Amino acid sequence: MEPRFFDAHCHLDLMLSPDAAASESAALGLGLFDCGVNPRDFSAANERARRQPGIIAGIGLHPWWLADGRCGAAEVNLLCELASRERFIGEIGLDFSSRFAGTEGVQTQAFERLCQALSQHPLAGRVLSIHAVRAAGATLDILESSGLLKNDPNSPTIIFHWFSGTSDELVRARHAGSFFSINERMLATKRGREYARQIPLNRLLLETDAPAEQNKETTARQLVDSLARTSEVVAAIKKCDSRSIESAVLGNTHSIFDLR
């Protein structure tokens, strides 16, 4: 079934019933990028993706999990070991918001280690879904210094999920060839809507970042409805019809994720 929507950033593992959401997604023709938050959960997520068409499992280590101590050196080591062999990476990145003050060094060291591992083990078609809160510049610096931000067909595809950096950082990320996945909550802010206006259609993806809360009951139908609303808002911002947005986004999705 040709999907109408692809959720470029969500978390099945954080949903109350991940297997049920995965099965319903397949039934609805919804594709999704299931971004991991803990590398120890990757095996189960990967197995779920093997069972369900259209679901792609990413190995990740969310900076929140690192900052609050849920993950540590052992998980960073595991992430670097497994990710060096994997094509789909995420959620990874940095969060320098006040909530995580004092953990910038730990986060940076882990992200640098991962980027170096990926650079030393290049893989065609690799995709990175990146979290960067009050840290977009630092994130871009590390990607660049690791050789992952080259305008080169062999470089990984960089997706900034829910971009919230400065205008200058948005321009820098755009010029580096990055993609951007947009969700409803991003579009609830004036800055988020302005950024959506500035992001070219050929660099645009849709996401839900669901669930909003861990262990919250979440259905694939809710994901589809959220993506549809996001598409409609982006269409209004860009002064075109929602089908044009959906078509462009699906084209980007097929190119990035090599969907069949």
Side-chain angles (χ1 to χ4, degrees):
M1 179 188 297
E2 172 70 18
R4 179 182 173 192
F5 290 113
F6 185 90
D7 188 342
H9 189 104
C10 67
H11 305 284
L12 287 175
D13 280 343
L14 301 184
M15 297 178 187
L16 184 62
S17 307
D19 290 339
S23 297
E24 185 189 4
S25 294
L28 291 174
L30 169 67
L32 54 86
F33 185 17
D34 178 20
C35 292
V37 297
N38 185 333
R40 296 195 181 280
D41 298 330
F42 179 63
S43 179
N46 203 29
E47 181 57 34
R48 184 186 302 119
R50 291 179 189 277
R51 295 195 304 265
Q52 301 291 355
I55 294 178
I56 295 170
I59 182 167
L61 174 48
H62 200 298
W64 293 359
W65 266 244
L66 195 61
D68 66 14
R70 278 177 281 185
C71 291
E75 286 76 19
V76 173
N77 291 339
L78 180 61
L79 174 70
C80 293
E81 176 190 347
L82 296 179
S84 65
R85 304 192 295 268
E86 293 296 330
R87 180 180 166 194
F88 299 105
I89 314 296
E91 181 168 1
I92 56 171
L94 301 171
D95 193 315
F96 291 172
S97 59
S98 58
R99 175 182 170 190
F100 301 113
T103 69
E104 294 89 347
V106 172
Q107 292 184 50
T108 299
Q109 184 180 42
F111 189 55
E112 286 177 337
R113 277 197 58 201
L114 172 63
C115 289
Q116 289 165 5
L118 297 177
S119 181
Q120 290 165 6
H121 298 88
L123 196 60
R126 182 172 271 147
V127 179
L128 280 61
S129 186
I130 291 183
H131 174 116
V133 173
R134 299 197 177 180
T139 301
L140 287 162
D141 288 345
I142 293 171
L143 290 168
E144 189 171 43
S145 65
S146 301
L148 299 178
L149 206 61
K150 296 176 182 176
N151 189 9
D152 183 297
N154 294 321
S155 295
T157 296
I158 306 298
I159 303 171
F160 279 95
H161 126 77
W162 195 341
F163 188 86
S164 61
T166 66
S167 295
D168 287 345
E169 288 165 341
L170 176 66
V171 170
R172 182 181 172 192
R174 283 178 52 191
H175 287 171
S178 303
F179 284 78
F180 302 86
S181 53
I182 291 176
N183 62 53
E184 278 192 284
R185 285 173 284 171
M186 176 178 172
L187 295 175
T189 68
K190 182 178 180 180
R191 181 168 65 170
R193 291 190 295 273
E194 174 56 25
Y195 284 0
R197 187 188 66 79
Q198 294 181 34
I199 294 168
L201 278 181
N202 66 350
R203 295 290 163 180
L204 179 68
L205 298 166
L206 302 181
E207 62 159 72
T208 64
D209 196 25
E213 300 172 15
Q214 191 169 353
N215 294 322
K216 183 177 178 63
E217 184 64 58
T218 309
T219 67
R221 173 52 61 187
Q222 289 172 328
L223 302 184
V224 169
D225 291 346
S226 178
L227 293 169
R229 289 191 296 268
T230 302
S231 177
E232 289 168 0
V233 174
V234 172
I237 291 169
K238 291 186 174 293
K239 296 180 170 51
C240 62
D241 62 89
S242 60
R243 287 289 182 177
S244 297
I245 300 297
E246 293 166 16
S247 176
V249 168
L250 274 181
N252 297 337
T253 299
H254 278 275
S255 174
I256 294 170
F257 293 97
D258 194 25
L259 296 182
R260 294 288 185 263

